[in-house]
Each structure stands twice: as C-alpha cells, then as structure tokens.
Amino acid sequence: MRPGYDPQGEPLLDSPALTLFNGLLGEPTATRLLTQLDQALAWQRPTLRLYGREHPIPRRQLWMGDPDARYRYSGRDFLPEPWHPAVSTIRAAVNRRLADAGLSARFNSVLLNRYADGEERMGWHSDDEPELGPDPLIAAVSLGAERPLRFRWKDRSAEAFNVWLPHDSLLVMGAGVQDRLQHALQPRRLPGMRISLTFRLVNPGSPVA
C-alpha cells in the first residue's frame, strides 16, 4: 500500500454520509492526469437561461458517459461525450477506493468542470435531478488547486460549513446529502486551475423533457 493511501477516509458527517478520501491516484499520476484532461478534452462553455436571458456559465464543463446517460441540468439537456481513457482511469480508481471502504456503487456518467482560477464558480444546488434517482451517491474527484466546497442545510438547522478539497482527493456524498444539503463552489482570490469530476449513475431511459 503506497504512502498516504487512505482506504477508509475521513468522515465529515455521519448522517447524512459525507466522507473525504485523500491520495486517490497518487503522484505523479494525479498531476499527469490533470494536465491530460486540461489539454485533451474539448471543454465547453454552454449558456443557461435565467430570468429570460441567456448567460454563459462561469466555468468550462463537459458531460461524459455511456450513450444512454442523458442528463438535464438548469433547463438544458446534455448528451454524453464518449469516455476518454484518462477519465476511465480515474473512474476505476474511484471504484477501487469505494470498494476498499466497503461501499458499492456503479457510475455510468461524469460531469467534469474546469475552473481556470478562484474567480470561476458554481452556484448553490443539489444533485437531485430525477435522472439520478431518489437517493444518489455522488463521487467527486478534485485535481489541481485546492478550494473549499461550501455546504448549507436546506432547513437551516445548523450553520453552513466548508470542506476543503485538496489535489487528488475524493469526496463521497452518500445517502441523504442531496436531500438535506446544498453545495456551492464560491469565488475566492485563490490562484491555480482546478478540475472536478463528479461521477454519478443516471438511470438509463429517464425522460429528459
């Protein structure tokens, strides 16, 4: 077992289940894959309609997965790009880490987001679209610059909190997280590019209309 390998992870919350794993890929693999994703993927900046106007998203992204893993987000339908070998390598590492932790999951898709610097962001949301089922498990890999993911309780029963996501880390959002919490990547004056990969299971044949 390599130094820094973290088979069980750090439990951030027990209920709902939120766990952070470090050292997912190990070096130099993590940095090599970060560079490969940055340079090899056809990053997109789609527009989303808000209050009747079209706005480009404040980051670049790419939806990837099995052919039937269609997805609807913020009023747009996304058809998946085919799996890139680098992303398949990361998915295999996620599956191994979850198995080591006694968790079972299957992922047929991934949303990749590229943040050029700390000013690029993602607003408050939950990954609770109908295509993901009633209680999805989301596995989020972070590569590149460390940034905090902000969480808040939907019922405001407790204070909001940050989870700092270092390079080569895996955040597992398990049962109940999407139902009870929202999360956001808020702008900060932090240097460096970051790529996140949020693996998920889209129910094949789910309607996108």
Side-chain angles (χ1 to χ4, degrees), residues 45-67:
R45 192 186 289 264
T47 59
L48 300 177
R49 179 172 291 274
L50 296 172
Y51 305 109
R53 298 181 62 184
E54 295 286 338
H55 300 269
I57 64 172
R59 61 193 175 277
R60 295 189 184 275
Q61 70 177 30
L62 192 63
W63 177 246
M64 188 177 294
D66 296 348

Side-chain angles (χ1 to χ4, degrees), residues 123-134:
W124 287 107
H125 69 286
S126 296
D127 296 319
D128 56 1
E129 289 76 17
E131 299 91 336
L132 302 180

Side-chain angles (χ1 to χ4, degrees), residues 146-207:
E146 183 175 13
R147 288 184 65 178
L149 192 64
R150 185 77 169 167
F151 284 87
R152 69 183 182 188
W153 299 89
K154 291 183 180 180
D155 62 5
R156 305 299 191 268
S157 60
E159 292 186 0
F161 59 94
N162 287 334
V163 175
W164 284 86
L165 301 175
H167 175 55
D168 196 23
S169 64
L170 166 65
L171 181 68
V172 177
M173 295 180 278
V177 171
Q178 308 308 321
D179 182 53
R180 298 176 60 188
L181 292 161
Q182 291 180 317
H183 53 278
L185 193 76
Q186 298 178 320
R188 283 181 174 244
R189 292 184 177 178
L190 295 173
M193 184 262 295
R194 172 180 180 266
I195 291 177
S196 70
L197 306 91
T198 51
F199 292 91
R200 56 197 75 195
L201 176 65
V202 169
N203 295 316
S206 294

Side-chain angles (χ1 to χ4, degrees), residues 60-79:
R60 295 189 184 275
Q61 70 177 30
L62 192 63
W63 177 246
M64 188 177 294
D66 296 348
D68 58 357
R70 302 175 300 168
Y71 191 59
R72 187 171 180 85
Y73 175 73
S74 293
R76 280 184 62 98
D77 296 331
F78 293 93
L79 299 178

Side-chain angles (χ1 to χ4, degrees), residues 73-132:
Y73 175 73
S74 293
R76 280 184 62 98
D77 296 331
F78 293 93
L79 299 178
E81 297 288 330
W83 288 100
H84 188 278
V87 179
S88 294
T89 296
I90 297 171
R91 178 174 63 161
V94 170
N95 288 337
R96 288 193 298 270
R97 186 61 58 92
L98 293 180
D100 288 347
L103 299 173
S104 176
R106 183 173 73 87
F107 304 111
N108 64 358
S109 50
V110 60
L111 180 63
L112 298 100
N113 282 291
R114 181 191 182 277
Y115 303 90
D117 54 36
E119 295 299 320
E120 296 198 333
R121 64 197 186 276
M122 168 98 59
W124 287 107
H125 69 286
S126 296
D127 296 319
D128 56 1
E129 289 76 17
E131 299 91 336
L132 302 180

